[in-house]
Amino acid sequence: MWALGITGTYLGDYFGILMDDIVTTFPFNVTDAPMYYGSTMSFLGTAILYGKPAGILLTAEILVVYLVALSFEDPFTAGIYAKRDQEQQKQKKPAKQE
């Protein structure tokens, strides 16, 4: 959360609040979705700690839901950053003189 801040972590891309660059420092250098995988590991750890097989099955279900969400979220995020980069490039191009 340090590199993203509050707005980048909880609001960010979906509300048009883009970072200058996509964050690639820890934990994003390990995984693109640290909050999804971190919460999944937390759920799994709790299920194991309390010895609940149903908790392990629910954790697997949550992981599948997160993976489906990521299949949409990752291309969406890449697309809005690419769109912003294209718009910035258009603004930097000098006007043609006739």
Side-chain angles (χ1 to χ4, degrees):
M1 191 168 99
W2 181 263
L4 290 174
I6 297 295
T7 55
T9 301
Y10 300 109
L11 302 174
D13 303 338
Y14 295 104
F15 293 99
I17 304 169
L18 302 180
M19 307 298 291
D20 292 335
D21 293 310
I22 294 178
V23 178
T24 57
T25 57
F26 185 80
F28 294 95
N29 62 345
V30 177
T31 177
D32 288 339
M35 291 174 63
Y36 288 161
Y37 293 118
S39 63
T40 302
M41 288 188 287
S42 177
F43 301 147
L44 180 60
T46 302
I48 292 170
L49 178 68
Y50 289 101
K52 302 292 183 178
I56 294 170
L57 292 174
L58 287 172
T59 300
E61 184 177 338
I62 289 169
L63 177 61
V64 169
V65 170
Y66 283 165
L67 293 173
V68 169
L70 284 172
S71 72
F72 293 98
E73 186 175 314
D74 288 343
F76 174 79
T77 302
I80 55 178
Y81 275 93
K83 180 180 176 184
R84 186 212 44 200
D85 292 343
Q86 288 174 350
E87 289 173 1
Q88 287 176 346
Q89 291 298 324
K90 285 180 185 177
Q91 292 175 355
K92 288 182 182 179
K93 288 183 180 179
K96 291 183 181 179
Q97 293 181 354
E98 293 181 28

Coordinates of all heavy atoms in Angstrom, one line a residue:
M1 N 0.8 -1.2 0.0 CA 0.0 0.0 0.0 C 0.9 1.2 0.0 O 0.4 2.3 -0.4 CB -0.9 0.0 1.2 CG -2.0 1.1 1.1 SD -3.3 0.9 2.3 CE -2.7 2.0 3.5
W2 N 2.1 1.1 0.4 CA 3.0 2.3 0.5 C 3.1 3.0 -0.8 O 2.9 4.2 -1.0 CB 4.3 1.9 1.1 CG 5.3 3.0 1.2 CD1 6.2 3.4 0.3 CD2 5.3 4.0 2.3 NE1 6.9 4.5 0.8 CE2 6.3 4.9 2.0 CE3 4.6 4.2 3.4 CZ2 6.7 6.0 2.8 CZ3 4.9 5.2 4.3 CH2 5.9 6.1 3.9
A3 N 3.4 2.2 -1.9 CA 3.7 2.8 -3.2 C 2.4 3.3 -3.8 O 2.4 4.3 -4.6 CB 4.4 1.8 -4.1
L4 N 1.3 2.6 -3.5 CA 0.0 3.0 -4.2 C -0.8 4.1 -3.4 O -1.5 4.9 -4.0 CB -0.9 1.8 -4.2 CG -0.5 0.7 -5.2 CD1 -1.5 -0.5 -5.1 CD2 -0.6 1.2 -6.6
G5 N -0.6 4.2 -2.1 CA -1.3 5.1 -1.3 C -2.8 4.6 -1.2 O -3.2 3.6 -1.7
I6 N -3.6 5.4 -0.4 CA -5.0 5.0 -0.2 C -5.8 5.0 -1.5 O -6.5 4.1 -1.8 CB -5.6 6.0 0.8 CG1 -4.9 5.8 2.2 CG2 -7.1 5.7 1.0 CD1 -5.1 4.5 2.9
T7 N -5.6 6.1 -2.3 CA -6.4 6.2 -3.5 C -6.1 5.1 -4.5 O -6.9 4.5 -5.2 CB -6.3 7.6 -4.2 OG1 -5.0 7.9 -4.4 CG2 -7.0 8.6 -3.3
G8 N -4.8 4.8 -4.6 CA -4.3 3.8 -5.6 C -4.7 2.4 -5.1 O -4.9 1.5 -6.0
T9 N -4.8 2.2 -3.8 CA -5.1 0.9 -3.3 C -6.6 0.6 -3.4 O -7.0 -0.5 -3.8 CB -4.7 0.7 -1.9 OG1 -3.2 0.9 -1.8 CG2 -5.0 -0.6 -1.3
Y10 N -7.4 1.5 -3.0 CA -8.8 1.3 -2.8 C -9.7 1.9 -3.9 O -10.8 1.4 -4.1 CB -9.3 1.7 -1.5 CG -8.6 1.0 -0.4 CD1 -7.7 1.7 0.4 CD2 -8.8 -0.4 -0.2 CE1 -7.0 1.0 1.4 CE2 -8.1 -1.0 0.8 CZ -7.2 -0.4 1.6 OH -6.5 -1.0 2.6
L11 N -9.3 2.9 -4.6 CA -10.1 3.6 -5.6 C -9.5 3.4 -7.0 O -10.0 2.8 -7.9 CB -10.3 5.0 -5.3 CG -10.9 5.3 -3.9 CD1 -10.9 6.8 -3.6 CD2 -12.3 4.8 -3.9
G12 N -8.3 4.0 -7.1 CA -7.4 3.9 -8.3 C -8.0 3.8 -9.6 O -8.8 4.7 -10.1
D13 N -7.7 2.8 -10.4 CA -7.9 2.7 -11.8 C -9.4 2.8 -12.2 O -9.7 3.4 -13.2 CB -7.4 1.3 -12.3 CG -5.9 1.1 -12.0 OD1 -5.2 2.1 -11.8 OD2 -5.5 0.0 -11.9
Y14 N -10.3 2.2 -11.4 CA -11.7 2.2 -11.7 C -12.3 3.6 -11.7 O -13.3 3.8 -12.4 CB -12.4 1.3 -10.8 CG -12.0 -0.2 -11.0 CD1 -11.2 -0.8 -10.0 CD2 -12.4 -0.9 -12.1 CE1 -10.8 -2.1 -10.2 CE2 -11.9 -2.2 -12.3 CZ -11.1 -2.8 -11.3 OH -10.7 -4.1 -11.5
F15 N -11.7 4.5 -11.0 CA -12.2 5.9 -10.9 C -11.4 6.9 -11.6 O -11.5 8.1 -11.5 CB -12.4 6.3 -9.4 CG -13.5 5.5 -8.7 CD1 -13.1 4.4 -7.9 CD2 -14.8 5.8 -8.8 CE1 -14.1 3.7 -7.2 CE2 -15.8 5.1 -8.2 CZ -15.4 4.0 -7.4
G16 N -10.4 6.4 -12.4 CA -9.6 7.2 -13.2 C -8.5 7.9 -12.5 O -7.8 8.8 -13.0
I17 N -8.2 7.4 -11.3 CA -7.0 7.9 -10.5 C -5.8 7.0 -10.9 O -5.7 6.0 -10.3 CB -7.3 7.9 -9.0 CG1 -8.6 8.7 -8.7 CG2 -6.1 8.5 -8.3 CD1 -9.1 8.6 -7.3
L18 N -5.0 7.4 -11.9 CA -3.9 6.6 -12.3 C -2.6 7.0 -11.7 O -2.4 8.2 -11.5 CB -3.8 6.6 -13.8 CG -5.1 6.1 -14.6 CD1 -4.8 6.2 -16.1 CD2 -5.5 4.8 -14.2
M19 N -1.8 6.1 -11.4 CA -0.4 6.4 -11.0 C 0.4 6.9 -12.2 O 0.0 6.7 -13.3 CB 0.2 5.1 -10.4 CG -0.6 4.4 -9.3 SD -0.9 5.4 -7.8 CE 0.7 5.5 -7.1
D20 N 1.5 7.6 -11.9 CA 2.4 8.0 -13.0 C 2.8 6.8 -13.8 O 2.9 6.9 -15.0 CB 3.6 8.8 -12.4 CG 3.2 10.1 -11.8 OD1 2.1 10.6 -12.2 OD2 3.9 10.6 -10.9
D21 N 3.2 5.7 -13.1 CA 3.6 4.5 -13.8 C 2.9 3.3 -13.0 O 2.6 3.5 -11.8 CB 5.1 4.3 -13.8 CG 5.8 5.3 -14.7 OD1 5.4 5.4 -15.8 OD2 6.7 5.9 -14.2
I22 N 2.8 2.2 -13.7 CA 2.3 1.0 -13.0 C 3.3 0.6 -11.9 O 4.5 0.6 -12.2 CB 2.0 -0.1 -13.9 CG1 0.9 0.2 -14.9 CG2 1.7 -1.4 -13.2 CD1 0.5 -0.8 -15.9
V23 N 2.9 0.3 -10.7 CA 3.8 0.0 -9.6 C 4.4 -1.4 -9.8 O 3.7 -2.3 -10.1 CB 3.1 0.1 -8.2 CG1 4.0 -0.3 -7.1 CG2 2.5 1.5 -8.0
T24 N 5.7 -1.5 -9.8 CA 6.4 -2.7 -10.0 C 7.3 -3.1 -8.9 O 8.0 -4.1 -9.0 CB 7.2 -2.7 -11.3 OG1 8.1 -1.6 -11.3 CG2 6.3 -2.6 -12.5
T25 N 7.3 -2.4 -7.8 CA 8.1 -2.7 -6.6 C 7.3 -3.7 -5.7 O 6.2 -4.0 -6.0 CB 8.4 -1.4 -5.8 OG1 7.2 -0.8 -5.4 CG2 9.2 -0.5 -6.6
F26 N 8.0 -4.2 -4.7 CA 7.4 -5.2 -3.8 C 6.0 -4.7 -3.3 O 5.9 -3.5 -2.9 CB 8.3 -5.5 -2.6 CG 7.8 -6.6 -1.8 CD1 8.0 -7.9 -2.2 CD2 7.1 -6.3 -0.6 CE1 7.5 -8.9 -1.4 CE2 6.6 -7.4 0.2 CZ 6.8 -8.7 -0.2
P27 N 5.0 -5.5 -3.2 CA 4.9 -6.9 -3.6 C 4.5 -7.2 -5.0 O 4.3 -8.3 -5.4 CB 3.8 -7.4 -2.6 CG 2.9 -6.2 -2.5 CD 3.8 -5.0 -2.5
F28 N 4.4 -6.1 -5.8 CA 4.0 -6.3 -7.2 C 5.1 -6.9 -8.1 O 4.8 -7.3 -9.2 CB 3.5 -4.9 -7.8 CG 2.3 -4.5 -7.1 CD1 2.3 -3.6 -6.0 CD2 1.0 -4.9 -7.5 CE1 1.2 -3.1 -5.4 CE2 -0.1 -4.5 -6.9 CZ 0.0 -3.6 -5.8
N29 N 6.3 -6.9 -7.6 CA 7.3 -7.6 -8.4 C 7.3 -9.1 -8.1 O 7.9 -9.9 -8.8 CB 8.7 -7.1 -8.0 CG 9.1 -7.3 -6.6 OD1 8.3 -7.6 -5.7 ND2 10.4 -7.1 -6.3
V30 N 6.5 -9.6 -7.2 CA 6.3 -11.0 -6.9 C 5.0 -11.5 -7.6 O 4.9 -12.5 -8.2 CB 6.2 -11.2 -5.4 CG1 5.9 -12.7 -5.1 CG2 7.5 -10.8 -4.7
T31 N 3.9 -10.7 -7.4 CA 2.6 -11.0 -8.0 C 1.9 -9.8 -8.4 O 2.1 -8.7 -7.8 CB 1.8 -11.8 -7.0 OG1 0.5 -12.1 -7.6 CG2 1.6 -11.1 -5.7
D32 N 1.0 -9.8 -9.4 CA 0.3 -8.7 -9.9 C -0.9 -8.4 -8.9 O -1.5 -7.4 -9.0 CB -0.3 -8.9 -11.3 CG 0.8 -8.8 -12.3 OD1 1.9 -8.2 -12.0 OD2 0.6 -9.3 -13.4
A33 N -1.3 -9.4 -8.1 CA -2.5 -9.3 -7.3 C -2.2 -9.7 -5.8 O -2.7 -10.6 -5.3 CB -3.6 -10.1 -7.8
P34 N -1.3 -8.9 -5.1 CA -1.0 -9.3 -3.8 C -2.1 -9.3 -2.8 O -2.2 -10.2 -1.9 CB 0.1 -8.3 -3.4 CG -0.2 -7.1 -4.2 CD -0.7 -7.7 -5.5
M35 N -3.1 -8.5 -3.0 CA -4.3 -8.5 -2.0 C -5.1 -9.7 -2.2 O -5.6 -10.3 -1.2 CB -5.1 -7.2 -2.2 CG -4.4 -6.0 -1.7 SD -5.2 -4.4 -2.0 CE -6.7 -4.6 -1.1
Y36 N -5.3 -10.2 -3.5 CA -6.1 -11.4 -3.7 C -5.4 -12.6 -3.1 O -6.0 -13.4 -2.4 CB -6.3 -11.6 -5.2 CG -7.3 -10.6 -5.8 CD1 -7.3 -10.4 -7.2 CD2 -8.2 -9.9 -5.1 CE1 -8.2 -9.6 -7.8 CE2 -9.1 -9.0 -5.7 CZ -9.1 -8.9 -7.0 OH -10.0 -8.0 -7.7
Y37 N -4.1 -12.7 -3.5 CA -3.4 -13.9 -3.0 C -3.1 -13.8 -1.5 O -3.2 -14.9 -0.8 CB -2.1 -14.1 -3.7 CG -2.3 -14.4 -5.2 CD1 -1.9 -13.6 -6.2 CD2 -3.0 -15.6 -5.6 CE1 -2.1 -13.9 -7.6 CE2 -3.2 -15.9 -6.9 CZ -2.8 -15.1 -7.9 OH -3.0 -15.4 -9.2
G38 N -2.9 -12.7 -0.9 CA -2.7 -12.5 0.5 C -4.0 -12.9 1.3 O -3.9 -13.6 2.3
S39 N -5.1 -12.4 0.8 CA -6.3 -12.8 1.5 C -6.6 -14.3 1.4 O -7.1 -14.9 2.3 CB -7.5 -11.9 1.0 OG -7.8 -12.2 -0.3
T40 N -6.3 -14.8 0.2 CA -6.5 -16.3 0.0 C -5.7 -17.1 1.0 O -6.1 -18.0 1.6 CB -6.2 -16.7 -1.4 OG1 -7.1 -16.0 -2.3 CG2 -6.4 -18.2 -1.6
M41 N -4.4 -16.7 1.2 CA -3.5 -17.4 2.1 C -4.0 -17.2 3.5 O -3.9 -18.1 4.4 CB -2.1 -16.9 2.0 CG -1.4 -17.4 0.7 SD 0.3 -17.0 0.6 CE 0.3 -15.2 0.3
S42 N -4.6 -16.0 3.9 CA -5.1 -15.8 5.2 C -6.3 -16.7 5.5 O -6.4 -17.3 6.5 CB -5.6 -14.3 5.3 OG -6.1 -14.1 6.5
F43 N -7.2 -16.8 4.5 CA -8.3 -17.7 4.6 C -7.9 -19.2 4.8 O -8.4 -19.9 5.6 CB -9.3 -17.7 3.4 CG -9.8 -16.3 3.1 CD1 -10.1 -15.9 1.8 CD2 -10.1 -15.4 4.2 CE1 -10.6 -14.6 1.6 CE2 -10.6 -14.2 3.9 CZ -10.9 -13.8 2.6
L44 N -6.9 -19.6 4.0 CA -6.4 -21.0 4.1 C -5.7 -21.2 5.4 O -6.0 -22.2 6.1 CB -5.4 -21.2 3.0 CG -4.8 -22.6 2.9 CD1 -5.8 -23.7 2.8 CD2 -3.7 -22.7 1.8
G45 N -4.9 -20.2 5.9 CA -4.3 -20.4 7.2 C -5.3 -20.5 8.3 O -5.1 -21.3 9.3
T46 N -6.3 -19.7 8.3 CA -7.4 -19.8 9.3 C -8.1 -21.1 9.3 O -8.4 -21.7 10.3 CB -8.4 -18.6 9.1 OG1 -7.7 -17.4 9.2 CG2 -9.5 -18.7 10.2
A47 N -8.4 -21.6 8.1 CA -9.0 -22.9 7.9 C -8.2 -24.0 8.5 O -8.6 -24.9 9.2 CB -9.4 -23.2 6.5
I48 N -6.9 -24.0 8.2 CA -5.9 -25.0 8.7 C -5.8 -24.9 10.2 O -5.8 -25.9 11.0 CB -4.6 -24.9 8.0 CG1 -4.7 -25.3 6.5 CG2 -3.5 -25.7 8.7 CD1 -3.5 -25.0 5.7
L49 N -5.7 -23.6 10.7 CA -5.5 -23.4 12.2 C -6.7 -24.0 13.0 O -6.5 -24.6 14.0 CB -5.4 -21.9 12.5 CG -5.3 -21.5 13.9 CD1 -3.9 -21.9 14.5 CD2 -5.5 -20.0 14.1
Y50 N -7.9 -23.8 12.4 CA -9.1 -24.3 13.1 C -9.4 -25.7 12.7 O -10.4 -26.3 13.2 CB -10.3 -23.4 13.0 CG -10.1 -22.1 13.8 CD1 -9.7 -20.9 13.1 CD2 -10.3 -22.1 15.1 CE1 -9.5 -19.8 13.9 CE2 -10.1 -20.9 15.9 CZ -9.7 -19.8 15.2 OH -9.5 -18.6 16.0
G51 N -8.7 -26.3 11.8 CA -8.9 -27.7 11.3 C -10.3 -27.9 10.6 O -11.0 -28.9 10.9
K52 N -10.7 -26.9 9.8 CA -12.0 -27.0 9.1 C -11.8 -27.3 7.7 O -11.4 -26.5 6.9 CB -12.7 -25.7 9.3 CG -12.9 -25.2 10.7 CD -13.9 -26.1 11.4 CE -14.1 -25.6 12.8 NZ -15.1 -26.5 13.5
P53 N -12.2 -28.5 7.3 CA -12.1 -28.9 5.8 C -13.0 -28.0 5.0 O -12.7 -27.7 3.8 CB -12.6 -30.4 5.8 CG -12.4 -30.9 7.2 CD -12.5 -29.7 8.1
A54 N -14.2 -27.6 5.5 CA -15.1 -26.7 4.8 C -14.4 -25.4 4.5 O -14.6 -24.8 3.4 CB -16.4 -26.5 5.5
G55 N -13.6 -24.9 5.4 CA -12.8 -23.7 5.2 C -11.8 -23.8 4.1 O -11.6 -22.9 3.3
I56 N -11.2 -25.0 4.0 CA -10.3 -25.2 2.9 C -11.0 -25.2 1.5 O -10.5 -24.7 0.6 CB -9.5 -26.5 3.1 CG1 -8.6 -26.4 4.4 CG2 -8.6 -26.9 1.9 CD1 -7.9 -27.6 4.9
L57 N -12.1 -25.9 1.5 CA -12.9 -25.9 0.3 C -13.4 -24.5 -0.1 O -13.4 -24.2 -1.3 CB -14.1 -26.9 0.4 CG -13.8 -28.4 0.5 CD1 -15.0 -29.2 0.8 CD2 -13.1 -28.8 -0.8
L58 N -13.8 -23.7 0.9 CA -14.3 -22.4 0.6 C -13.1 -21.5 0.1 O -13.3 -20.7 -0.8 CB -14.9 -21.8 1.8 CG -16.3 -22.3 2.1 CD1 -16.8 -21.8 3.5 CD2 -17.3 -22.0 1.1
T59 N -11.9 -21.8 0.7 CA -10.8 -21.0 0.2 C -10.5 -21.3 -1.2 O -10.1 -20.4 -2.0 CB -9.5 -21.4 1.1 OG1 -9.8 -21.0 2.5 CG2 -8.3 -20.7 0.6
A60 N -10.6 -22.6 -1.6 CA -10.4 -23.0 -3.0 C -11.4 -22.3 -3.9 O -11.1 -21.8 -5.0 CB -10.4 -24.5 -3.2
E61 N -12.7 -22.2 -3.5 CA -13.7 -21.5 -4.2 C -13.4 -20.0 -4.4 O -13.5 -19.5 -5.5 CB -15.0 -21.7 -3.6 CG -16.2 -21.1 -4.4 CD -17.5 -21.4 -3.7 OE1 -17.7 -22.4 -2.9 OE2 -18.5 -20.7 -4.0
I62 N -12.9 -19.4 -3.3 CA -12.6 -18.0 -3.4 C -11.4 -17.8 -4.3 O -11.4 -16.8 -5.1 CB -12.2 -17.5 -1.9 CG1 -13.5 -17.4 -1.1 CG2 -11.5 -16.1 -2.0 CD1 -13.3 -17.2 0.4
L63 N -10.4 -18.7 -4.3 CA -9.3 -18.5 -5.2 C -9.8 -18.6 -6.7 O -9.3 -17.8 -7.5 CB -8.3 -19.6 -5.0 CG -7.1 -19.6 -5.9 CD1 -6.3 -18.3 -5.8 CD2 -6.2 -20.8 -5.6
V64 N -10.7 -19.5 -7.0 CA -11.2 -19.6 -8.3 C -11.9 -18.3 -8.7 O -11.7 -17.8 -9.8 CB -12.2 -20.8 -8.5 CG1 -12.9 -20.8 -9.8 CG2 -11.4 -22.1 -8.4
V65 N -12.7 -17.7 -7.8 CA -13.4 -16.5 -8.1 C -12.4 -15.4 -8.3 O -12.6 -14.6 -9.2 CB -14.4 -16.1 -6.9 CG1 -14.9 -14.7 -7.1 CG2 -15.5 -17.1 -6.9
Y66 N -11.3 -15.3 -7.5 CA -10.3 -14.3 -7.7 C -9.6 -14.4 -9.0 O -9.3 -13.5 -9.7 CB -9.3 -14.4 -6.6 CG -9.7 -13.8 -5.2 CD1 -9.0 -14.1 -4.1 CD2 -10.7 -12.9 -5.1 CE1 -9.3 -13.5 -2.9 CE2 -11.1 -12.3 -3.9 CZ -10.4 -12.6 -2.8 OH -10.7 -12.1 -1.6
L67 N -9.3 -15.7 -9.4 CA -8.7 -15.9 -10.7 C -9.5 -15.5 -11.9 O -9.0 -14.9 -12.9 CB -8.2 -17.4 -10.8 CG -7.1 -17.8 -9.9 CD1 -6.9 -19.3 -10.0 CD2 -5.9 -17.1 -10.1
V68 N -10.8 -15.7 -11.8 CA -11.8 -15.3 -12.8 C -11.8 -13.7 -12.8 O -11.7 -13.1 -13.9 CB -13.2 -15.8 -12.6 CG1 -14.2 -15.1 -13.5 CG2 -13.2 -17.3 -12.8
A69 N -11.8 -13.1 -11.6 CA -11.8 -11.6 -11.6 C -10.5 -11.1 -12.2 O -10.6 -10.1 -12.9 CB -11.9 -11.2 -10.1
L70 N -9.4 -11.7 -11.9 CA -8.1 -11.3 -12.5 C -8.1 -11.4 -14.0 O -7.4 -10.6 -14.7 CB -7.0 -12.0 -11.9 CG -6.6 -11.6 -10.5 CD1 -5.6 -12.6 -9.9 CD2 -6.0 -10.2 -10.5
S71 N -8.8 -12.4 -14.5 CA -8.8 -12.5 -16.0 C -9.5 -11.4 -16.7 O -9.2 -11.1 -17.8 CB -9.5 -13.9 -16.4 OG -10.9 -13.8 -16.2
F72 N -10.3 -10.6 -15.9 CA -10.9 -9.4 -16.5 C -10.2 -8.2 -16.0 O -10.0 -7.2 -16.8 CB -12.4 -9.3 -16.0 CG -13.3 -10.4 -16.6 CD1 -13.6 -11.5 -15.9 CD2 -13.8 -10.2 -17.8 CE1 -14.4 -12.5 -16.4 CE2 -14.6 -11.2 -18.4 CZ -14.9 -12.3 -17.7
E73 N -9.7 -8.2 -14.8 CA -9.1 -7.0 -14.2 C -7.8 -6.7 -14.8 O -7.5 -5.5 -15.1 CB -8.9 -7.2 -12.7 CG -8.4 -6.0 -12.0 CD -8.4 -6.2 -10.5 OE1 -9.4 -6.7 -9.9 OE2 -7.3 -5.9 -9.9
D74 N -6.9 -7.7 -15.0 CA -5.6 -7.4 -15.6 C -5.6 -6.8 -17.0 O -5.0 -5.7 -17.2 CB -4.7 -8.7 -15.6 CG -4.3 -9.1 -14.2 OD1 -4.3 -8.2 -13.3 OD2 -3.9 -10.2 -14.0
P75 N -6.4 -7.3 -17.9 CA -6.5 -6.6 -19.2 C -7.2 -5.2 -19.1 O -6.8 -4.3 -19.8 CB -7.4 -7.5 -20.0 CG -7.4 -8.9 -19.4 CD -7.1 -8.6 -17.9
F76 N -8.1 -5.1 -18.2 CA -8.7 -3.7 -18.0 C -7.7 -2.7 -17.6 O -7.6 -1.6 -18.1 CB -9.9 -3.9 -17.0 CG -10.5 -2.5 -16.7 CD1 -11.4 -1.9 -17.5 CD2 -10.2 -1.9 -15.5 CE1 -12.0 -0.7 -17.2 CE2 -10.7 -0.7 -15.1 CZ -11.6 -0.1 -16.0
T77 N -6.9 -3.1 -16.6 CA -5.9 -2.2 -16.0 C -4.9 -1.9 -17.1 O -4.5 -0.7 -17.3 CB -5.2 -2.8 -14.8 OG1 -6.2 -3.1 -13.8 CG2 -4.2 -1.9 -14.2
A78 N -4.4 -2.9 -17.8 CA -3.4 -2.7 -18.9 C -4.0 -1.7 -19.9 O -3.3 -0.8 -20.4 CB -3.0 -4.0 -19.5
G79 N -5.3 -1.9 -20.2 CA -5.9 -1.1 -21.3 C -6.1 0.4 -20.9 O -5.8 1.2 -21.7
I80 N -6.4 0.6 -19.6 CA -6.6 2.1 -19.3 C -5.2 2.8 -19.2 O -5.1 3.9 -19.5 CB -7.4 2.3 -18.0 CG1 -6.8 1.5 -16.8 CG2 -8.8 2.0 -18.2 CD1 -7.6 1.7 -15.5
Y81 N -4.2 2.0 -18.8 CA -2.8 2.6 -18.8 C -2.3 2.8 -20.2 O -1.7 3.9 -20.6 CB -1.8 1.8 -18.0 CG -1.9 2.2 -16.5 CD1 -2.7 1.5 -15.6 CD2 -1.1 3.2 -16.0 CE1 -2.8 1.8 -14.3 CE2 -1.2 3.6 -14.7 CZ -2.0 2.9 -13.8 OH -2.1 3.2 -12.5
A82 N -2.6 1.9 -21.1 CA -2.2 2.0 -22.5 C -3.0 3.2 -23.2 O -2.4 4.0 -23.9 CB -2.5 0.8 -23.3
K83 N -4.3 3.4 -22.8 CA -5.1 4.5 -23.4 C -4.5 5.8 -22.9 O -4.4 6.7 -23.7 CB -6.5 4.3 -23.0 CG -7.4 5.4 -23.5 CD -8.8 5.2 -23.0 CE -9.7 6.4 -23.5 NZ -11.1 6.2 -22.9
R84 N -4.1 5.9 -21.6 CA -3.6 7.1 -21.1 C -2.2 7.4 -21.8 O -2.0 8.6 -22.1 CB -3.4 7.0 -19.6 CG -2.9 8.3 -19.0 CD -2.0 8.3 -17.8 NE -1.0 7.4 -17.9 CZ -0.3 7.0 -16.8 NH1 -0.7 7.4 -15.6 NH2 0.7 6.1 -16.9
D85 N -1.4 6.4 -22.0 CA -0.1 6.6 -22.6 C -0.3 7.1 -24.1 O 0.4 8.0 -24.5 CB 0.7 5.3 -22.6 CG 1.2 5.0 -21.2 OD1 1.1 5.8 -20.3 OD2 1.6 3.8 -21.0
Q86 N -1.3 6.5 -24.8 CA -1.6 7.0 -26.1 C -2.0 8.5 -26.2 O -1.6 9.2 -27.0 CB -2.6 6.1 -26.8 CG -2.2 4.7 -27.2 CD -3.3 3.9 -27.7 OE1 -4.5 4.2 -27.6 NE2 -3.0 2.7 -28.2
E87 N -2.9 8.8 -25.2 CA -3.3 10.2 -25.1 C -2.2 11.2 -24.8 O -2.1 12.3 -25.4 CB -4.4 10.3 -24.1 CG -5.7 9.7 -24.5 CD -6.8 9.6 -23.4 OE1 -6.5 10.1 -22.3 OE2 -7.9 9.1 -23.7
Q88 N -1.3 10.7 -23.9 CA -0.1 11.6 -23.6 C 0.8 11.7 -24.8 O 1.3 12.8 -25.0 CB 0.6 11.0 -22.4 CG -0.1 11.2 -21.1 CD 0.7 10.5 -20.0 OE1 1.6 9.7 -20.1 NE2 0.3 10.9 -18.7
Q89 N 1.0 10.7 -25.6 CA 1.8 10.7 -26.8 C 1.2 11.7 -27.8 O 1.9 12.4 -28.5 CB 2.0 9.3 -27.4 CG 2.9 8.4 -26.6 CD 4.3 9.0 -26.4 OE1 4.8 9.6 -27.3 NE2 4.8 8.7 -25.2
K90 N -0.1 11.7 -28.0 CA -0.8 12.6 -28.9 C -0.6 14.0 -28.5 O -0.4 14.9 -29.4 CB -2.3 12.3 -29.0 CG -2.7 11.0 -29.7 CD -4.2 10.8 -29.7 CE -4.6 9.5 -30.4 NZ -6.0 9.3 -30.3
Q91 N -0.6 14.3 -27.2 CA -0.4 15.6 -26.7 C 1.0 16.1 -26.9 O 1.2 17.3 -27.1 CB -0.8 15.8 -25.3 CG -2.3 15.6 -25.0 CD -2.7 15.6 -23.6 OE1 -1.8 15.6 -22.7 NE2 -4.0 15.5 -23.3
K92 N 2.0 15.2 -26.9 CA 3.4 15.6 -27.1 C 3.8 15.8 -28.5 O 4.8 16.5 -28.8 CB 4.3 14.5 -26.5 CG 4.2 14.4 -25.0 CD 5.2 13.3 -24.5 CE 5.1 13.2 -23.0 NZ 6.0 12.2 -22.5
K93 N 3.0 15.3 -29.5 CA 3.4 15.4 -30.9 C 3.2 16.9 -31.3 O 2.1 17.4 -31.0 CB 2.6 14.5 -31.8 CG 2.9 13.0 -31.7 CD 2.1 12.2 -32.6 CE 2.5 10.8 -32.5 NZ 1.7 9.9 -33.4
P94 N 4.2 17.4 -31.9 CA 4.0 18.8 -32.4 C 3.1 18.9 -33.6 O 3.0 17.9 -34.4 CB 5.4 19.2 -32.8 CG 6.2 17.9 -33.1 CD 5.5 16.9 -32.2
A95 N 2.4 20.0 -33.7 CA 1.4 20.1 -34.8 C 2.2 20.3 -36.1 O 3.3 20.9 -36.2 CB 0.6 21.3 -34.6
K96 N 1.7 19.7 -37.2 CA 2.3 19.8 -38.5 C 2.2 21.2 -39.0 O 1.1 21.8 -39.0 CB 1.7 18.8 -39.5 CG 2.0 17.4 -39.2 CD 1.4 16.5 -40.3 CE 1.7 15.0 -40.0 NZ 1.1 14.2 -41.0
Q97 N 3.3 21.7 -39.6 CA 3.3 23.1 -40.2 C 3.0 22.9 -41.7 O 3.6 22.1 -42.3 CB 4.6 23.8 -39.9 CG 4.8 24.1 -38.5 CD 6.1 24.9 -38.2 OE1 6.8 25.1 -39.1 NE2 6.3 25.3 -37.0
E98 N 2.2 23.7 -42.2 CA 1.9 23.6 -43.6 C 2.6 24.7 -44.4 O 3.0 25.7 -44.0 CB 0.4 23.8 -43.9 CG -0.3 22.6 -43.3 CD -1.8 22.8 -43.5 OE1 -2.3 23.4 -44.5 OE2 -2.6 22.2 -42.7

